[in-house]
Amino acid sequence: MADRQEASVTLPSDPASVSAARRYVTDVVCGWGLPDGTDAVDTLRLIVSELATNAVQHTFGQSPTFTVDVRLERDERLCVGVTDSHPRWPRRLPAAVRQDNGRGMVIIRSLTAQYGGRLSVTPTEEGGKTVWIALPWTVPVQG
């Protein structure tokens, strides 16, 4: 396997971009050897959907675009990051909070942990942030 495989797309902060982000990440990881229709791909779709939805809904028009980065690391970790230019970081809500919205990070954190991964948030040089998930890659890449 090469040191790292990478893919990236920048989309407008528009609700229609959420499905585009899901399709993009699915196409990338399936191209890298993860079979479509598996629990891993379905879970990844949901995580990306929540990350992209957060980038669209919670930037309050202050981030005209968001970027989705997908990396397959040499140590067999799949990293997906969604970057926006809004300075506010996601809030951590307790799992018992009952409300109609604001549960995306709870879902992302739970699914990421369920698959043995981790979640992190890093600042960007432009004053925004990237929300990253890192999951174990369990499918060998043909090459």
Side-chain angles (χ1 to χ4, degrees):
M1 178 172 153
D3 284 345
R4 173 162 74 178
Q5 294 185 57
E6 299 179 82
S8 180
V9 65
T10 298
L11 300 165
S13 289
D14 181 271
S17 294
V18 174
S19 61
R22 275 194 311 266
R23 278 191 308 276
Y24 179 79
V25 172
T26 300
D27 290 347
V28 168
V29 299
C30 289
W32 290 344
L34 195 60
D36 198 3
T38 61
D39 285 346
V41 171
D42 290 343
T43 298
L44 188 57
R45 273 190 193 100
L46 179 54
I47 290 170
V48 169
S49 184
E50 292 295 334
L51 288 170
T53 297
N54 285 351
V56 170
Q57 287 185 346
H58 299 295
T59 58
F60 307 106
Q62 294 183 29
S63 183
T65 62
F66 67 95
T67 301
V68 180
D69 293 295
V70 188
R71 298 190 319 230
L72 183 54
E73 302 284 346
R74 186 175 191 182
D75 63 358
E76 298 190 352
R77 282 182 306 140
L78 176 67
C79 299
V80 178
V82 175
T83 303
D84 64 61
S85 57
H86 193 279
R88 188 177 66 147
W89 285 31
R91 294 178 311 174
R92 184 178 184 128
L93 296 175
V97 170
R98 297 194 190 281
Q99 61 187 51
D100 292 336
N101 60 15
R103 306 277 303 172
M105 290 305 291
V106 172
I107 293 168
I108 295 163
R109 189 174 288 108
S110 175
L111 289 172
T112 301
Q114 176 184 338
Y115 276 83
R118 63 181 172 78
L119 172 94
S120 62
V121 183
T122 59
T124 65
E125 290 181 12
E126 298 79 26
K129 78 279 188 190
T130 304
V131 180
W132 288 101
I133 57 114
L135 302 171
W137 181 261
T138 57
V139 176
V141 176
Q142 305 296 318

